[in-house]
Amino acid sequence: MNFAVIGSPIEHTLSPAIHYANFNSLNLADTYRALHIRPEELGHIKDVIKQYDLNGFNVTIPHKETIMAHLDFIDQRAIEVNAVNTVLIKDNKLYGYNTDVTGYKQAYTDRFGTMKRNILILGAGGASKAVYRAHSELGDDITIYARREASFETFTDQNFQRLSSLQNLKSFDVIINTTPIGLKNEDLYDVMSLSRNKITEDTIGIDLIYNPEKTPFLYGFEDKMVMNGLSMLVNQAIHAFEIWYDNKHEGDYNTVYAALDKKFGGGRK
Ligand code: NAP
């Protein structure tokens, strides 16, 4: 089968490496291309599908929302986060899904279980919506911090507490960074004026960033309580693969994770 990721820019995407690690492990001769599709070219997506004989594709910046107008069916989760990152092509019809939600949820529950918790999400962009949806599905009590009030209105539902400042914070069971702060090793505690004094040895710290492997934010938590974004990244790809194969093939999470962990973490366990 033939797959791709569409986006602009697309040079730095890890998706081909992730999917080929999975194909190779499963002895599949499938292909996966990175295709540079500019916003003005998205209207010709059916020609692109034909040209590369695609069975499915991933969608990245800046097409996750705009692709929705070109689809025949959109999964409920993708509607709820207003973003599609995976498209299945079947009988000339296009089906849209969001595996960032399921990928994050899988990564989180595999690591920390399904216990109901008191969650603080830092940031209110695209990734925040996937994380919010996952924790909503788990029945958690959710607070979202955004620096701009208008950001809260971009969520399709408002079943969360709003926070516009991190001063005088109450305690949370889990704190998740969904902002890019830390990509360049910036200290989130300084940038957001977040005090470490509410973080205990039992507080879970999650950063969606995976490179660097451990951001300054994660250093505020006990080692055994932290998770970076790598398991979400791998799970979202594995879930896309399983959608394309109509769940007839299980993706090889462990092999793909090990390949990426080697790339970003030097093979650390
Ligand atoms: P995005 O849509 O641009 O959202 C970024 C959010 O961060 C916005 O709400 C932005 O607020 C907020 N933000 C930025 N600087 C801030 C600051 N100083 N204080 C408070 N809020 C701040 O980006 P995204 O797609 O959600 O991605 C966010 C991060 O998640 C990136 O690092 C990305 O690499 C990572 N990510 C990882 C995975 C994975 O699989 N591991 C998946 C998706 C994303 P404003 O709107 O006010 O600017």
Side-chain angles (χ1 to χ4, degrees), residues 124-127 147-148 178-181 191-192 208-210 229 232-233:
R147 60 181 170 181
R148 292 179 302 114
T178 73
T179 77
I181 297 169
V191 178
M192 288 194 187
L208 298 197
I209 294 169
Y210 48 83
M232 171 184 180
L233 180 76

Side-chain angles (χ1 to χ4, degrees), residues 61 64 100 122-128 145-148 151 177-181 183 191-192 207-210 228-230 232-234 236:
I61 290 167
K64 284 188 180 185
D100 282 334
L122 304 174
S128 168
Y145 163 71
R147 60 181 170 181
R148 292 179 302 114
S151 302
N177 176 33
T178 73
T179 77
I181 297 169
L183 272 177
V191 178
M192 288 194 187
D207 203 322
L208 298 197
I209 294 169
Y210 48 83
N228 74 11
L230 197 58
M232 171 184 180
L233 180 76
V234 175
Q236 64 75 28

